[in-house]
Amino acid sequence: MDRIERQAPMENAFDQVTYNMLFCNEIDGVFRLEFTNEAAGEANYNTAGFTPLSRIFSAGMSKKTVVQVLKSLLGVWVNLDEYMIPRSELLMSLSDVYAHNETGEIRWICGLQKDPRSPIEKLRLLMAELVTIMEGNPEQNQENLHTLLNYVKGVNRENLNQCKSMADTLLLQDIAAASAEAAASEELDSYGYGGKKGNGYEDSWRESGDGLNIMIPDVFTKAREVAYIIRIRTGDEMAIVLDETLIGKSRDADFRVADNRAVSRHHASILMENGGYYLVDHDSTNSTYLNGMQLDPGEEYRLCHGDGFVLADEPFQFMIR
């Protein structure tokens, strides 16, 4: 299909600002919204000449292509900021990302339907998709994407180039050794290596092709177990890969609990610090409990594998595997 039809009248999916921006502007990297029935408020995106990435790369995706996808996404995030469109409006599954059949240009769809997940949660799920189809060592790919996820959480116009270079460094650094792509190996020749002491560990420095120096702590590249939280009632789980994972009812929560009124908007967070995990209550209305103990707001409580915690009356379990 060359056109993607909306799932509902646009007032059910857009706020007025998003609506105006998508119709009135050419936003780099985003399909423009077009009317099919203006009276009924129906619109679509013209995707002629583009094919979903999930269809193009169903059998596997090179790391170089993954870098291209992630760089495009970071740029689109910044572009949406400038047009006052919430990043949460962007669709981020591989079936919703398109590449031009001739030029390879990547474009994204914004605001097709409502989605309560935060931009970071959507990005985490996109990265999980990429791990399953990306060439190379799956464990190393996952570690690199986890590192990148933490690094790009606050991407903006000022640090956009550095975030893009971080993707280059993390995902292309092992291509030369694997001799997977000769072109990528030539690109890696422009990277320099050195060392610098700081923060209690050795930092590896690699210089990107555009001259930016990117600091990658060695601790990031070491294999580590991954922590998860599981919502007991639904079985939903989420990997803890951010320095701070916010849990609550708000739309900007990393793990959103939208269907429980007893849970506060910003109820609690899990902090990841120096290899440990800590639960913090944000002065919630109905409190947070760890293994039956009520937490004092603002205090950090260490989490261990198998611990149970409750936000108001919503039970969770913390696991490491």
Side-chain angles (χ1 to χ4, degrees):
M1 291 179 59
D2 290 336
R3 294 182 177 269
I4 301 176
E5 299 295 335
R6 289 193 47 77
Q7 303 299 307
M10 74 190 65
E11 62 269 16
N12 293 339
F14 297 108
D15 60 34
Q16 192 63 38
V17 171
T18 300
Y19 169 90
N20 290 335
M21 292 299 103
L22 289 175
F23 271 95
C24 300
N25 298 281
E26 290 284 353
I27 303 174
D28 191 26
V30 177
F31 285 112
R32 187 170 179 173
L33 195 60
E34 301 175 354
F35 278 118
T36 52
N37 186 333
E38 188 169 355
E42 296 175 353
N44 61 32
Y45 297 91
N46 186 352
T47 61
F50 287 80
T51 302
L53 291 182
S54 58
R55 196 180 306 166
I56 299 174
F57 300 104
S58 57
M61 182 182 291
S62 71
K63 291 189 178 182
K64 203 167 185 180
T65 302
V66 171
V67 170
Q68 183 184 2
V69 171
L70 293 176
K71 282 184 174 182
S72 172
L73 173 60
L74 299 180
V76 166
W77 268 10
V78 171
N79 292 338
L80 293 181
D81 293 345
E82 293 184 349
Y83 283 92
M84 299 178 290
I85 298 176
R87 295 177 179 181
S88 58
E89 294 281 5
L90 196 68
L91 303 190
M92 290 190 220
S93 66
L94 286 180
S95 59
D96 298 314
V97 186
Y98 287 69
H100 193 273
N101 299 334
E102 296 180 358
T103 66
E105 175 196 357
I106 295 174
R107 285 195 189 177
W108 303 72
I109 294 174
C110 187
L112 183 66
Q113 57 194 19
K114 280 190 173 181
D115 190 333
R117 293 172 298 186
S118 70
I120 298 301
E121 174 64 3
K122 289 182 181 180
L123 177 58
R124 185 186 71 82
L125 294 173
L126 172 63
M127 288 182 166
E129 283 189 273
L130 291 173
V131 166
T132 64
I133 64 172
M134 187 177 5
E135 296 173 355
N137 184 306
E139 292 184 2
Q140 184 65 49
N141 290 342
Q142 182 171 336
E143 289 296 322
N144 286 342
L145 288 177
H146 281 173
T147 301
L148 186 63
L149 182 61
N150 275 308
Y151 192 86
V152 306
K153 182 178 181 182
V155 64
N156 53 46
R157 178 60 66 189
E158 286 68 36
N159 67 7
L160 174 61
N161 286 336
Q162 192 171 14
C163 287
K164 287 181 175 180
S165 295
M166 183 71 165
D168 275 334
T169 302
L170 282 174
L171 298 179
L172 296 181
Q173 61 187 340
D174 57 340
I175 288 183
S179 298
E181 295 180 20
S185 297
E186 292 173 3
E187 185 175 338
L188 280 175
D189 288 340
S190 65
Y191 284 73
Y193 297 86
K196 179 181 175 72
K197 285 277 189 180
N199 299 325
Y201 50 76
E202 286 289 329
D203 292 330
S204 299
W205 291 78
R206 300 175 176 90
E207 186 171 331
S208 68
D210 59 6
L212 289 170
N213 288 322
I214 305 301
M215 183 176 67
I216 304 177
D218 287 340
V219 68
F220 282 158
T221 61
K222 296 177 181 177
R224 61 176 174 81
E225 295 176 313
V226 179
Y228 293 81
I229 53 174
I230 302 170
R231 187 182 178 189
I232 303 300
R233 289 178 181 171
T234 63
D236 294 339
E237 64 177 54
M238 176 179 178
I240 305 300
V241 296
L242 303 174
D243 294 332
E244 179 177 3
T245 299
L246 175 64
I247 312 172
K249 198 163 49 183
S250 173
R251 278 192 162 200
D252 62 356
D254 298 307
F255 192 114
R256 191 179 182 205
V257 184
D259 55 354
N260 188 333
R261 293 188 176 183
V263 174
S264 298
R265 294 182 69 256
H266 293 174
H267 197 109
S269 287
I270 294 179
L271 307 181
M272 185 167 59
E273 299 176 349
N274 300 320
Y277 300 88
Y278 302 85
L279 181 63
V280 180
D281 176 80
H282 294 312
D283 199 16
S284 59
T285 301
N286 294 309
S287 300
T288 302
Y289 302 83
L290 175 60
N291 296 326
M293 175 184 68
Q294 184 174 347
L295 306 190
D296 293 327
E299 296 295 322
E300 298 182 8
Y301 293 81
R302 182 69 180 259
L303 286 167
C304 298
H305 173 69
D307 280 348
F309 63 95
V310 179
L311 309 188
D313 60 356
E314 189 69 52
F316 291 82
Q317 187 172 25
F318 177 81
M319 303 289 288
I320 297 178
R321 50 180 186 251

